[in-house]
Amino acid sequence: MPVEVTWWGHATATVRDSGVTVLTDPLLVRRLAHLRRRRGALPPPEVAGADLVLVSHLHADHLHLGSLAKLAPGTRVVVPRGAPRAVPGLRRLAPPLELIEAAPGDEIAAGPVTVRAVPAAHDGRRLPVGPHIAPALGFVVTGEERTYFAGDTGLFDGMAEAVGEVDTALLPVGGWGPFLGEGHLDARRAAEALARLRPRSAVPVHFGTYWPVGLDAVRPHEFHSPGAEFKRLAARPAPEVTVHLLEHGQSVRLEANR
């Protein structure tokens, strides 16, 4: 059975593997504070009907309470360990949601699929202020294939060893503003991450969706170009990796090869 990956925009994607639907960092609204969705239709309502939801860190564009509230009652949501303590609004969603706190190395089963939390090099605090009490995470979804969702991360020593062998990597290649701070991957650094991880395929995410209101003309290439730039740059250090540059709402089917 092929594994299907659908990119909905920003860090929100659906991974369907072995009959299990996994949703990453759901952001299902047109406007978030000073950010507005500039490209791509909102994900359809059925996206919220996932079997398992993965939240990589506490930033509001990844742990978005309004989007989590759209999930079906009883949905299992994996969050960084300490997230309910750091984000009071998250506690008010459980129940009806089932929150599962995870740290690097923890594994969560969903039918025939296993999800392993892995480290990420990112300041995952709830901004603008907040204590460092919940780690930023990536996740490896293992069923017919091994799919790595990086969340938000920079390059870090031991990255390949921490993530392990993967077939497909969903890598952030941009952001939501003119400048990327420390703890992020731009197109060049994402290409280097690809060379370290050596998956068979990759899908660039976290670009070309949300942008601050009033800054449309400020460094517009940082909004439009990261996906294509990543695909171009990845061809040199990792020519054996197939990069699938998806449009919003577009899917790719990946034949299992294990």
Side-chain angles (χ1 to χ4, degrees):
M1 178 186 298
V3 174
E4 185 178 78
V5 174
T6 305
W7 181 52
W8 302 108
H10 203 56
T12 305
T14 297
V15 178
R16 296 181 179 88
D17 190 330
S18 306
V20 176
T21 300
V22 179
L23 178 64
T24 67
D25 285 353
L27 187 55
L28 311 177
V29 294
R30 195 168 300 280
R31 180 79 179 259
L32 170 63
H34 64 301
L35 305 179
R36 65 180 174 91
R37 191 175 181 108
R38 287 190 57 202
R39 180 182 294 163
L42 286 176
E46 55 265 30
V47 168
D51 298 302
L52 190 68
V53 175
L54 308 178
V55 174
S56 63
H57 61 286
L58 308 190
H59 292 171
D61 57 323
H62 293 259
L63 194 168
H64 184 252
L65 296 174
S67 295
L68 293 178
K70 297 176 182 287
L71 301 175
T75 300
R76 301 168 73 207
V77 181
V78 182
V79 299
R81 185 170 295 167
R85 184 158 57 98
V87 185
L90 185 59
R91 298 197 296 269
R92 291 193 287 271
L93 295 177
L97 303 180
E98 179 184 346
L99 301 183
I100 303 170
E101 298 184 52
D106 289 348
E107 293 189 350
I108 300 95
V113 166
T114 299
V115 174
R116 176 169 54 92
V118 299
H122 189 66
D123 181 354
R125 291 178 295 172
R126 191 68 165 180
L127 299 178
V129 295
H132 285 283
I133 61 175
L137 302 174
F139 299 96
V140 178
V141 180
T142 301
E144 289 293 320
E145 288 212 342
R146 295 154 296 204
T147 303
Y148 170 48
F149 168 64
D152 251 351
T153 188
L155 294 167
F156 59 92
D157 293 339
M159 185 178 196
E161 293 76 14
V163 173
E165 186 176 355
V166 293
D167 299 294
T168 300
L170 278 60
L171 294 177
V173 300
W176 51 253
F179 301 98
L180 279 177
E182 188 177 352
H184 293 84
L185 297 177
D186 59 10
R188 178 184 58 79
R189 292 191 291 266
E192 184 177 339
L194 201 64
R196 297 184 187 188
L197 297 169
R198 296 291 177 183
R200 288 189 295 110
S201 60
V203 177
V205 300
H206 206 278
F207 75 99
T209 309
Y210 292 90
W211 203 250
V213 173
L215 293 185
D216 292 14
V218 179
R219 296 173 63 87
H221 60 283
E222 298 292 351
F223 178 85
H224 294 285
S225 66
E229 185 179 4
F230 166 72
K231 185 172 184 177
R232 176 180 63 82
L233 291 174
R236 176 167 292 183
E240 75 284 4
V241 180
T242 301
V243 176
H244 300 279
L245 183 57
L246 303 181
E247 299 293 335
H248 293 78
Q250 187 177 7
S251 302
V252 59
R253 289 193 170 190
L254 306 162
E255 294 294 335
N257 186 30
R258 296 180 62 195

